[in-house]
Amino acid sequence: MTLRTLAAVFTTVETPDRLAREAAALARRLDAHLLGITVTSDPRYYPTLDGYMATEVLAEIDRRQERKAETILEVFDAAVKAEDVRGEWRVGRAGMQTVAERILESGRGSDMLVMTRPESYVHQLDDIQEQVIRGLGRPVLMLPHGATLENVCKRAMIGWSPTREAARAAFDALMLLEPGAEMTLLNVGATSAHDLADGPMNDLAVGLTRHGVSVNVVHREPGARHIGQVILDEAREVGAGFIATGAFGHSRAYDFVIGAVTRELLTDSALPVMFSK
């Protein structure tokens, strides 16, 4: 499975250098077209400000966002030239839509989207990321602070569960892996002898090996650990370059009340995580 278009999404509140550098280098290794996307949000009017002040304040916010978008473009162009990859730039305004909705419009034509996780987690950014993962229909590769994409083509950890999202994640991960790469299918939960001897994971492993990768099936019982923590520990143990997992397998209400493995991986992983929905 081949990745032909990689989309890198830049927010206007982050430093763009690392994402531009990592995305361009990955596009070069995969011989992919690199699409750069940024979206500026329209400033909102607050009734507590008088008319003149509101106009000046909103105009200044707008100018700052435009300058930031220009800076991101300069950084993106420099990374594209340094890695000698095919690059394309898109900048949009949210207008009456949300920033996430505009990102979705621009990103759905890509094979995969890559974003950075902010150093300090902010609710608005968290919401943008969640909306993109839930709504894109394509895998989203999240790059944590301090992580690189240098080793994503060599070894992957797949957080497996018997769900549509997990099946998509396993095969989506193939777009990043080079021939002969290693893939670990990890199931976290209570297992029986029957599950181990005759489970759908084995069928999945056979299907994945036909794509030229080496697949290892692993079962772990969580004990006192959260499922997300088991996945992170195992990924670290096998030296995975990235984690791939199905995302948000439940409704928003369920995830909010019960909690979600997706959010644990979003906030806690030191490795890049590819989310498929």
Side-chain angles (χ1 to χ4, degrees):
M1 302 180 73
T2 305
L3 192 156
R4 292 301 186 193
T5 306
L6 177 66
V9 173
F10 300 84
T11 71
T12 55
V13 297
E14 298 174 53
T15 302
D17 305 67
R18 189 166 65 92
L19 176 58
R21 182 176 63 250
E22 294 293 334
L26 180 60
R28 175 182 50 78
R29 290 196 296 273
L30 298 173
D31 192 26
H33 181 88
L34 180 61
L35 172 62
I37 300 171
T38 193
V39 176
T40 61
S41 58
D42 284 1
R44 297 184 179 181
Y45 172 76
Y46 293 92
T48 54
L49 297 174
D50 65 53
Y52 173 76
M53 183 177 292
T55 300
E56 289 300 306
V57 170
L58 297 181
E60 177 58 25
I61 293 173
D62 197 40
R63 285 191 293 269
R64 289 181 182 180
Q65 290 200 81
E66 289 182 357
R67 289 196 296 269
K68 183 64 176 180
E70 290 171 359
T71 299
I72 296 173
L73 172 57
E74 292 175 1
V75 172
F76 177 80
D77 281 344
V80 166
K81 291 176 182 177
E83 295 292 343
D84 192 23
V85 296
R86 301 178 299 277
E88 176 186 350
W89 179 249
R90 293 180 189 171
V91 58
R93 296 186 66 101
M96 298 300 292
Q97 297 177 294
T98 66
V99 171
E101 286 171 339
R102 291 287 282 129
I103 292 172
L104 293 175
E105 285 182 353
S106 293
R108 285 200 177 106
S110 305
D111 296 306
M112 184 177 295
L113 187 150
V114 58
M115 304 175 71
T116 55
R117 187 180 73 199
E119 293 182 44
S120 58
Y121 230 57
V122 181
H123 173 72
Q124 181 184 5
L125 291 173
D126 179 25
D127 188 55
I128 289 174
Q129 292 170 328
E130 179 174 334
Q131 288 180 63
V132 170
I133 292 170
R134 286 183 181 274
L136 186 65
R138 308 300 299 153
V140 178
L141 183 63
M142 200 65 60
L143 181 64
H145 176 65
T148 75
L149 301 177
E150 183 177 358
N151 297 316
V152 297
C153 299
K154 301 181 181 299
R155 187 175 290 112
M157 168 65 67
I158 313 298
W160 171 254
S161 61
T163 63
R164 173 181 62 83
E165 292 85 359
R168 286 200 58 177
F171 284 92
D172 285 344
L174 292 172
M175 287 192 284
L176 293 176
L177 296 173
E178 62 190 19
E182 297 180 15
M183 178 183 285
T184 299
L185 291 178
L186 171 65
N187 174 69
V188 182
T191 57
S192 66
H194 172 75
D195 292 331
L196 294 172
D198 186 29
M201 286 180 70
N202 295 330
D203 292 334
L204 178 66
V206 171
L208 290 167
T209 59
R210 295 191 181 108
H211 289 274
V213 296
S214 174
V215 182
N216 185 33
V217 176
V218 176
H219 296 267
R220 292 286 183 267
E221 296 193 12
R225 295 177 295 172
H226 293 161
I227 292 176
Q229 189 57 54
V230 177
I231 295 173
L232 295 176
D233 290 344
E234 289 291 323
R236 197 162 42 242
E237 183 71 22
V238 302
F242 75 103
I243 297 167
T245 183
F248 297 116
H250 301 286
S251 68
R252 283 176 177 263
Y254 181 96
D255 287 341
F256 178 77
V257 176
I258 306 299
V261 175
T262 305
R263 287 200 179 89
E264 189 170 0
L265 294 176
L266 263 172
T267 57
D268 296 345
S269 179
L271 291 172
V273 184
M274 191 200 75
F275 297 99
S276 295
K277 172 65 178 170

Short mmCIF file of all heavy atoms in Angstrom, two decimals, residues 133-135 137-139 164-165 168 172 245-250 275-277:
data_model
loop_
_atom_site.label_atom_id
_atom_site.label_comp_id
_atom_site.label_asym_id
_atom_site.label_seq_id
_atom_site.Cartn_x
_atom_site.Cartn_y
_atom_site.Cartn_z
N ILE A 133 -9.53 13.95 13.66
CA ILE A 133 -9.42 12.49 13.72
C ILE A 133 -10.77 11.84 13.46
O ILE A 133 -10.88 10.86 12.71
CB ILE A 133 -8.85 12.05 15.08
CG1 ILE A 133 -7.39 12.47 15.21
CG2 ILE A 133 -8.97 10.53 15.25
CD1 ILE A 133 -6.82 12.29 16.62
N ARG A 134 -11.81 12.38 14.08
CA ARG A 134 -13.14 11.79 13.93
C ARG A 134 -13.71 11.98 12.53
O ARG A 134 -14.42 11.11 12.01
CB ARG A 134 -14.11 12.42 14.94
CG ARG A 134 -13.94 11.97 16.39
CD ARG A 134 -15.01 12.60 17.27
NE ARG A 134 -14.89 12.23 18.66
CZ ARG A 134 -15.40 11.14 19.22
NH1 ARG A 134 -16.08 10.29 18.47
NH2 ARG A 134 -15.25 10.89 20.50
N GLY A 135 -13.42 13.11 11.90
CA GLY A 135 -14.13 13.45 10.68
C GLY A 135 -13.38 13.28 9.38
O GLY A 135 -13.99 13.36 8.31
N GLY A 137 -11.70 10.72 7.82
CA GLY A 137 -11.86 9.54 6.97
C GLY A 137 -10.54 9.01 6.44
O GLY A 137 -10.50 8.07 5.64
N ARG A 138 -9.44 9.60 6.86
CA ARG A 138 -8.10 9.18 6.52
C ARG A 138 -7.28 9.11 7.81
O ARG A 138 -7.63 9.77 8.80
CB ARG A 138 -7.42 10.17 5.54
CG ARG A 138 -8.22 10.51 4.33
CD ARG A 138 -8.53 9.29 3.48
NE ARG A 138 -7.33 8.64 3.00
CZ ARG A 138 -7.24 7.34 2.70
NH1 ARG A 138 -8.27 6.55 2.90
NH2 ARG A 138 -6.13 6.84 2.23
N PRO A 139 -6.20 8.34 7.85
CA PRO A 139 -5.40 8.27 9.08
C PRO A 139 -4.73 9.59 9.41
O PRO A 139 -4.32 10.34 8.51
CB PRO A 139 -4.37 7.17 8.77
CG PRO A 139 -4.30 7.12 7.27
CD PRO A 139 -5.67 7.46 6.79
N ARG A 164 -13.79 -2.17 13.65
CA ARG A 164 -13.54 -1.62 12.31
C ARG A 164 -12.36 -0.67 12.34
O ARG A 164 -11.51 -0.68 11.44
CB ARG A 164 -14.80 -0.89 11.82
CG ARG A 164 -14.62 -0.13 10.52
CD ARG A 164 -15.91 0.58 10.13
NE ARG A 164 -16.32 1.56 11.11
CZ ARG A 164 -15.85 2.80 11.17
NH1 ARG A 164 -14.93 3.20 10.30
NH2 ARG A 164 -16.27 3.64 12.08
N GLU A 165 -12.31 0.21 13.37
CA GLU A 165 -11.25 1.20 13.44
C GLU A 165 -9.87 0.56 13.56
O GLU A 165 -8.90 1.01 12.93
CB GLU A 165 -11.49 2.13 14.64
CG GLU A 165 -12.70 3.03 14.52
CD GLU A 165 -13.98 2.37 14.97
OE1 GLU A 165 -13.94 1.17 15.37
OE2 GLU A 165 -15.04 3.02 14.92
N ARG A 168 -8.76 -0.90 10.22
CA ARG A 168 -8.28 0.17 9.34
C ARG A 168 -6.88 0.60 9.74
O ARG A 168 -6.02 0.84 8.88
CB ARG A 168 -9.23 1.36 9.39
CG ARG A 168 -10.55 1.15 8.67
CD ARG A 168 -11.21 2.47 8.34
NE ARG A 168 -10.34 3.30 7.53
CZ ARG A 168 -10.68 4.49 7.06
NH1 ARG A 168 -11.86 4.98 7.35
NH2 ARG A 168 -9.85 5.19 6.32
N ASP A 172 -3.78 0.75 7.36
CA ASP A 172 -3.28 2.11 7.10
C ASP A 172 -1.80 2.22 7.44
O ASP A 172 -1.05 2.95 6.77
CB ASP A 172 -4.06 3.13 7.94
CG ASP A 172 -5.46 3.40 7.40
OD1 ASP A 172 -5.73 3.04 6.23
OD2 ASP A 172 -6.28 3.95 8.15
N THR A 245 -3.41 2.85 15.85
CA THR A 245 -4.56 2.35 16.60
C THR A 245 -5.84 2.92 16.03
O THR A 245 -5.85 3.99 15.42
CB THR A 245 -4.44 2.73 18.09
OG1 THR A 245 -5.52 2.17 18.82
CG2 THR A 245 -4.45 4.23 18.28
N GLY A 246 -6.92 2.19 16.24
CA GLY A 246 -8.23 2.73 15.93
C GLY A 246 -8.56 3.82 16.92
O GLY A 246 -8.14 3.78 18.07
N ALA A 247 -9.31 4.83 16.47
CA ALA A 247 -9.57 6.00 17.31
C ALA A 247 -11.05 6.18 17.59
O ALA A 247 -11.89 5.97 16.71
CB ALA A 247 -9.03 7.26 16.63
N PHE A 248 -11.35 6.58 18.82
CA PHE A 248 -12.70 6.96 19.22
C PHE A 248 -13.72 5.93 18.73
O PHE A 248 -14.60 6.24 17.92
CB PHE A 248 -13.05 8.35 18.69
CG PHE A 248 -12.16 9.43 19.25
CD1 PHE A 248 -11.32 10.15 18.41
CD2 PHE A 248 -12.15 9.72 20.60
CE1 PHE A 248 -10.51 11.16 18.91
CE2 PHE A 248 -11.34 10.72 21.12
CZ PHE A 248 -10.52 11.43 20.27
N GLY A 249 -13.61 4.72 19.26
CA GLY A 249 -14.53 3.67 18.87
C GLY A 249 -15.90 3.80 19.50
O GLY A 249 -16.81 3.04 19.18
N HIS A 250 -16.07 4.77 20.42
CA HIS A 250 -17.36 4.97 21.07
C HIS A 250 -17.88 6.37 20.72
O HIS A 250 -17.22 7.15 20.07
CB HIS A 250 -17.22 4.84 22.59
CG HIS A 250 -16.71 3.50 23.03
ND1 HIS A 250 -17.47 2.36 23.00
CD2 HIS A 250 -15.49 3.12 23.51
CE1 HIS A 250 -16.77 1.34 23.44
NE2 HIS A 250 -15.56 1.77 23.75
N PHE A 275 -3.73 7.57 14.13
CA PHE A 275 -5.10 7.27 14.51
C PHE A 275 -5.95 7.06 13.27
O PHE A 275 -5.93 7.87 12.35
CB PHE A 275 -5.71 8.41 15.33
CG PHE A 275 -5.02 8.66 16.65
CD1 PHE A 275 -4.09 9.68 16.78
CD2 PHE A 275 -5.31 7.87 17.74
CE1 PHE A 275 -3.46 9.90 17.99
CE2 PHE A 275 -4.67 8.08 18.97
CZ PHE A 275 -3.75 9.11 19.09
N SER A 276 -6.70 5.96 13.25
CA SER A 276 -7.62 5.67 12.14
C SER A 276 -9.03 5.59 12.68
O SER A 276 -9.27 5.00 13.73
CB SER A 276 -7.25 4.36 11.44
OG SER A 276 -5.98 4.45 10.82
N LYS A 277 -9.96 6.18 11.95
CA LYS A 277 -11.36 6.21 12.40
C LYS A 277 -12.27 5.75 11.27
O LYS A 277 -12.14 6.23 10.16
CB LYS A 277 -11.71 7.64 12.84
CG LYS A 277 -13.17 7.85 13.16
CD LYS A 277 -13.64 7.05 14.35
CE LYS A 277 -15.13 7.35 14.67
NZ LYS A 277 -15.66 6.41 15.67
#
